[in-house]
């Protein structure tokens, strides 16, 4: 009998090996529940980012299973995975990766319009609300190049939140920011997890920031060496 | 997917210079295509019109394509009998039962037929002798198969009936002889008949050989001149639908046995030249469009390369491979479409500019410049080819873009 409420995300014996033979992630089993704020740490090349891409359905495991809300994603087509990413996941990368031709507002609107659940003015309203909540209300119509590094990263977080995802995945989101901005970004993540019940998984190599997470996973050579959860 | 169009528009608008380069490449290709094809088709259409105008659509001659079966062949049917150099039998030349045949042709729908007798004659005026072809016609019938009436510069075809021994000559012929309207000249046939004839009209078709070497007389008069009473050696046919000339000629030939030549057969040499000319035209203009297509391919490829990160982030956001492919395909097609529109305007301007050019030498028919074909189909074809080329040129980089693996891109960038 299946449990009534499956965990949000689950990895079962997941291994990711490159065709050339290098093993990025080895036999990882992890369970993430709603509202968790997780920091994934580890030295360079320990497989942190690879693990995140597997969690984010951007990459497929060589062996093992990735389950989102109890559903095995192994057999899903590329397009079905894309649809899941659009609805349930939000990504934040080290670089903001905002589309340079479009304003912050347009950048947030793009995933909302792609999902197509909201129409017309509702799209704009939601995008504005997201930006305003992250303190970018006044800068909404500026192009990414006109924004500061911290503002860009906050705009990227607003975009990740566009379709109200249950899971936020961040890959070194503070790697390019100064301490104050980095702390602000972690404040936002903390709030998203604690107040809004989203699961936030952040890859970072900053031990001070990692301490603020509710759960810390340490990776070495693609294996989990410690998991505080 | 308006969203993909919006994103494509945003990307195009932000790199105006690159967009402008690919758009103007296509525009030039389309413009040259339109102008050159209009020029070539205009010339060819004019030429064909002239041929159709002057020559009858079908000429039935008093010849047969295949010699009559010989005794040896009839005696041994199916045997391998080869006979060469059959000497034509001495019979009265001419189309047999021409009157009946004309009546039968006239009974068909959209067919007008006129019997003529054509023969050589020597025109003599004072001390000048000029050899010419005299065609004996029935004016009332001839008007229906030929546009010669339109080319009359003096007098009318019908005046032949009102003038005793009247003759209508080409202006060039008149100049060579030094005679004009109302003058009387001596006409001598190979059979030795000598007639004194009065110029009742003059014409100018624009075709030199006709203007300098042709004359018209009444059929009866020419039969006397040629000493071939009641003989008709050609039936000229004009059809309501010119394109039916060739099948109709074959039908007539199979029914009557007389050699029937369509205008296409009679001007096969010119039409063959046109085929080659068209091949050259389309390969040159096609090459220009191909270069324009490479321009688009180049620009879209560069953009895909520059946009690698954006493609990766869009895929991570949940955009599908189809979305990404559409995004770049649209950009190429928009460049193609803008180029096609701009090129059509430019092409129309080039056509008008070419039409302004005047040559010092004026042809007798009054055309001393380019004759341009302003058919909308040329524009449609040019735009169609441009869009096709743009589509194909952008689909290749678009497919490559859609297959980018976001993980590899993000990993490389981080």
């Amino acid at each position: 009998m299946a449990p009534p409420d499956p965990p949000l995300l689950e990895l079962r014996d997941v291994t990711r090996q490159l065709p050339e033979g290098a093993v990025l992630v080895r036999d990882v089993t992890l369970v993430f529940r709603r509202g968790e704020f997780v920091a994934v740490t580890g030295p360079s090349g320990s497989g942190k980012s690879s693990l995140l891409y597997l969690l984010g359905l951007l990459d497929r495991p060589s062996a093992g299973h990735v389950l989102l809300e109890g559903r095995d994603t192994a057999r899903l087509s590329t397009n079905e995975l894309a649809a899941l990413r659009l609805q349930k996941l939000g990504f934040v990368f080290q670089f903001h990766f905002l589309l340079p031709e479009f304003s912050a507002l347009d950048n947030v609107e793009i995933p909302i319009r792609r999902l197509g659940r909201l129409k017309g003015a509702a799209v704009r309203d939601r995008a504005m609300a997201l930006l305003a909540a992250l303190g970018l209300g006044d800068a909404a119509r500026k192009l990414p190049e006109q924004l500061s590094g911290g503002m860009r990263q906050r705009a990227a977080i607003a975009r990740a939140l566009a379709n109200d995802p249950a899971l936020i995945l961040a890959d070194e989101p503070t790697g390019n920011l100064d301490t104050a901005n980095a702390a602000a970004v972690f404040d936002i993540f903390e709030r998203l997890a604690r107040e809004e019940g989203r699961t936030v998984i952040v890859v970072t190599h900053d031990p001070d920031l990692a301490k603020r997470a509710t759960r810390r996973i340490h990776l070495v050579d693609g294996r989990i060496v410690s998991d505080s959860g | 997917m308006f969203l993909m169009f919006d994103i494509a528009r945003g990307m195009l608008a932000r790199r105006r210079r690159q967009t402008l380069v690919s758009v103007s490449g296509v525009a030039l290709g389309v413009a040259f295509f339109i102008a050159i094809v209009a020029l070539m088709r205009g010339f060819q259409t004019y030429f064909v019109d002239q041929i159709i105008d002057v020559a009858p659509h079908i000429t039935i001659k008093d010849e047969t394509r295949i010699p009559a079966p010989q005794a040896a062949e009839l005696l041994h049917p199916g045997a391998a009998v080869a006979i060469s150099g059959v000497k034509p039998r001495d019979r009265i030349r001419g189309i047999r039962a021409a009157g009946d045949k004309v009546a039968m042709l006239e009974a068909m729908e959209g067919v007008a037929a006129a019997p003529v007798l054509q023969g050589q004659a020597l025109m003599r005026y004072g001390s000048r002798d000029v050899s010419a072809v005299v065609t004996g016609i029935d004016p009332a019938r001839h008007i229906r198969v030929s546009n010669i009436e339109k080319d009359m510069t003096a007098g009318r075809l019908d005046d032949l009936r009102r003038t005793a021994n009247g003759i209508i000559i080409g202006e060039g012929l008149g100049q060579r002889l030094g005679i004009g309207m109302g003058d009387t000249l001596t006409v001598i046939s190979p059979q030795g008949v000598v007639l004194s004839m009065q110029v009742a009209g003059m014409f100018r078709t624009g075709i030199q050989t006709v203007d300098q070497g042709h004359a018209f007389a009444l059929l009866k008069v020419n039969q006397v001149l040629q000493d071939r009473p009641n003989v008709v050696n050609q039936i000229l046919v004009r059809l309501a639908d010119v394109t039916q000339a060739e099948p109709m000629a074959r039908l007539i030939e199979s029914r009557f046995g007389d050699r029937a030549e369509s205008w296409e057969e009679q001007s096969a040499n010119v039409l063959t030249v046109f085929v080659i000319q068209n091949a050259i035209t389309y390969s040159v203009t096609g090459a220009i469009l191909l270069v324009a297509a490479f321009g688009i391919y180049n620009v879209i490829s560069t953009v895909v390369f520059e946009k690698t990160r954006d493609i990766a982030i869009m895929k991570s956001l949940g955009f599908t491979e189809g979305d990404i492919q559409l995004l770049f395909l649209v950009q190429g097609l928009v460049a193609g479409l803008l180029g096609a529109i701009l090129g059509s305007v430019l092409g129309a301007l080039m056509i008008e500019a070419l039409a302004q050019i005047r040559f010092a030498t004026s042809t007798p028919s009054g055309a001393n410049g380019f004759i341009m074909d302003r058919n909308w189909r040329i524009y449609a074809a040019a735009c169609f080819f441009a869009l096709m080329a743009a589509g194909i040129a952008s689909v290749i980089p678009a497919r490559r873009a859609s297959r980018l693996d976001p993980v590899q891109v993000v990993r490389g960038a981080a």
Side-chain angles (χ1 to χ4, degrees):
Chain A
M1 236 171 68
D5 187 17
L8 179 65
L9 189 63
E10 199 179 344
L11 297 191
R12 285 186 190 157
D13 306 318
V14 165
T15 295
R16 178 71 173 101
Q17 192 173 9
L18 292 179
E20 302 89 72
V23 178
L24 303 172
V25 174
R26 203 183 295 266
D27 285 331
V28 168
T29 298
L30 282 169
V31 175
F32 297 98
R33 306 207 167 271
R34 286 169 205 277
E36 277 190 301
F37 181 16
V38 187
V40 179
T41 56
S44 295
S46 58
K48 308 184 294 283
S49 295
S50 302
L51 180 68
L52 197 77
Y53 302 144
L54 288 167
L55 293 171
L57 309 177
L58 277 177
D59 203 3
R60 289 172 190 268
S62 319
H65 299 272
V66 178
L67 288 82
L68 185 67
E69 294 178 328
R71 189 172 165 211
D72 193 352
T73 57
R75 295 236 176 90
L76 296 181
S77 72
T78 320
N79 282 354
E80 285 169 319
L81 290 181
L84 280 180
R85 284 202 296 275
L86 188 65
Q87 291 174 48
K88 315 233 180 224
L89 307 183
F91 281 94
V92 180
F93 296 98
Q94 178 177 3
F95 300 97
H96 58 89
F97 282 161
L98 295 169
L99 299 185
E101 294 90 352
F102 299 93
S103 68
L105 186 62
D106 287 333
N107 265 288
V108 179
E109 279 184 17
I110 283 170
I112 303 176
R113 289 181 60 188
R114 179 63 186 85
L115 185 62
R117 254 183 220 149
L118 298 178
K119 303 270 180 221
V123 174
R124 182 131 296 199
D125 292 346
R126 165 146 184 91
M128 262 329 274
L130 285 167
L131 285 168
L134 293 173
L136 286 169
D138 296 333
R141 291 181 196 277
K142 285 188 176 167
L143 290 174
E145 64 192 26
Q146 296 166 313
L147 300 174
S148 71
M151 289 164 101
R152 285 179 204 164
Q153 199 58 299
R154 276 181 283 151
I157 295 171
R159 179 177 63 183
L161 292 170
N163 289 324
D164 194 17
L167 182 62
I168 304 283
L169 297 161
D171 190 4
E172 304 273 11
T174 58
N176 258 11
L177 300 178
D178 56 36
T179 323
N181 272 312
V185 165
F186 261 75
D187 287 344
I188 295 165
F189 285 147
E190 213 165 28
R191 199 175 75 221
L192 291 175
R194 191 187 303 149
E195 292 171 18
E196 300 180 15
R198 299 180 212 272
T199 305
V200 180
I201 305 173
V202 184
V203 164
T204 182
H205 57 255
D206 185 333
D208 291 337
L209 290 174
K211 273 179 199 150
R212 297 178 56 180
T214 56
R215 176 180 172 189
R216 283 171 297 281
I217 297 169
H218 193 68
L219 280 180
V220 174
D221 290 339
R223 285 180 209 275
I224 297 169
V225 292
S226 74
D227 184 351
S228 71
Chain B
M1 279 306 289
F2 289 115
L3 175 58
M4 300 323 290
F5 286 94
D6 281 353
I7 299 177
R9 205 181 54 199
M11 287 185 170
L12 281 172
R14 279 277 285 182
R15 49 184 164 78
R16 291 226 169 87
R17 223 167 60 87
Q18 272 174 315
T19 308
L20 202 68
V21 167
S22 40
V23 166
S24 44
V26 177
L28 280 180
V30 167
F32 274 108
F33 181 97
I34 289 170
I36 295 175
V37 173
L39 189 68
M40 284 299 178
R41 283 186 55 107
F43 167 69
Q44 290 177 2
T45 313
Y46 168 76
F47 211 92
V48 168
D49 281 351
Q50 291 289 99
I51 292 170
I52 295 171
D53 209 40
V54 177
H57 296 168
I58 300 171
T59 306
I60 304 170
K61 297 182 171 177
D62 59 342
E63 299 164 16
T64 50
R65 260 176 228 273
I66 307 152
Q70 298 298 303
E73 288 171 305
L74 292 174
L75 194 62
H76 305 289
V81 178
I83 299 159
S84 57
V86 179
K87 188 188 173 200
R89 232 187 312 170
D90 256 352
R91 62 173 173 91
I92 300 166
R93 287 203 61 194
I95 296 173
R96 290 186 195 181
D100 294 346
K101 286 173 182 170
V102 168
M104 280 170 73
L105 289 168
E106 288 276 359
M108 291 192 226
E109 190 153 321
V111 178
V116 299
L117 174 66
Q118 210 169 57
Q120 287 287 328
L122 196 67
M123 312 261 158
R124 176 168 293 166
Y125 186 67
S127 61
R128 286 192 195 162
D129 284 341
V130 176
S131 150
V133 174
V134 179
T135 306
I137 61 165
D138 172 354
R141 282 185 185 280
H142 203 72
I143 282 168
R144 297 173 54 225
V145 301
S146 159
N147 281 329
I148 194 75
E149 179 80 8
K150 188 166 61 72
D151 297 322
M152 297 289 291
T153 55
R156 304 186 56 221
L157 270 193
D158 217 37
D159 291 345
L160 284 177
R161 285 207 276 209
R162 280 185 278 280
T163 316
N165 283 353
I167 188 165
I168 291 171
I169 60 171
E171 280 196 344
L173 185 58
Q175 274 170 11
R176 283 168 75 189
L177 284 167
I179 56 171
M181 280 292 285
D183 290 343
T184 303
L185 72 161
T186 310
V187 183
I188 306 147
S189 76
Q191 281 70 30
V193 180
V194 180
L195 282 181
S196 194
M197 301 181 86
Q198 193 187 2
V199 177
M202 299 187 93
F203 63 84
R204 185 171 68 187
T205 60
I207 298 169
Q208 283 211 332
T209 52
V210 176
D211 291 349
Q212 295 191 350
H214 267 76
F216 292 95
L218 275 187
L219 183 57
K220 291 283 175 214
V221 174
N222 204 31
Q223 282 168 347
V224 171
L225 182 67
Q226 303 289 341
D227 192 20
R228 296 169 78 178
N230 296 321
V231 171
V232 164
N233 67 357
Q234 282 185 9
I235 297 173
L236 308 182
V237 177
R238 194 170 186 85
L239 305 173
D241 179 7
V242 190
T243 58
Q244 288 303 305
E246 184 57 32
M248 185 59 98
R250 298 285 68 81
L251 179 75
I252 292 169
E253 186 161 327
S254 68
R255 193 172 292 180
F256 295 161
D258 302 300
R259 186 183 175 108
E261 290 177 356
S262 65
W263 66 271
E264 286 140 306
E265 188 180 346
Q266 288 186 311
S267 14
N269 51 344
V270 180
L271 295 179
T272 314
V273 171
F274 284 175
V275 171
I276 297 163
Q277 212 177 40
N278 283 340
I280 296 168
T281 306
Y282 286 112
S283 36
V284 168
T285 49
I288 301 172
L289 278 178
L290 197 69
V291 171
F294 268 106
I296 291 185
Y297 173 80
N298 195 20
V299 167
I300 301 286
S301 289
T302 314
V303 171
V304 166
F305 182 74
E306 284 172 359
K307 292 279 167 202
T308 306
R309 278 176 166 205
D310 295 343
I311 295 164
I313 192 70
M314 286 179 73
K315 285 185 102 170
S316 73
L317 285 175
F319 283 82
T320 61
E321 291 190 0
D323 292 335
I324 304 295
Q325 201 169 328
L326 185 66
L327 175 63
F328 290 97
L329 186 63
V330 163
Q331 294 186 37
L333 284 177
V334 165
L337 189 68
L338 289 177
I341 294 167
L342 195 66
S344 295
V345 174
L346 210 60
L349 290 175
M350 281 170 79
I351 286 178
E352 296 315 318
L354 284 170
Q356 296 302 314
I357 297 172
R358 288 282 171 270
F359 299 115
T361 55
S362 149
T363 58
S365 60
N368 62 345
F370 289 123
I371 296 130
M372 309 301 291
D373 186 354
R374 292 178 177 83
N375 197 324
W376 63 270
R377 283 191 181 84
I378 298 173
Y379 291 83
C383 293
F384 175 75
F385 286 133
L387 280 180
M388 282 279 289
I392 294 168
S394 51
V395 89
I396 302 163
R399 281 175 74 91
R400 204 170 48 222
S402 73
R403 290 194 184 136
L404 272 177
D405 180 0
V407 172
Q408 287 190 0
V409 176
V410 175
R411 188 176 277 150

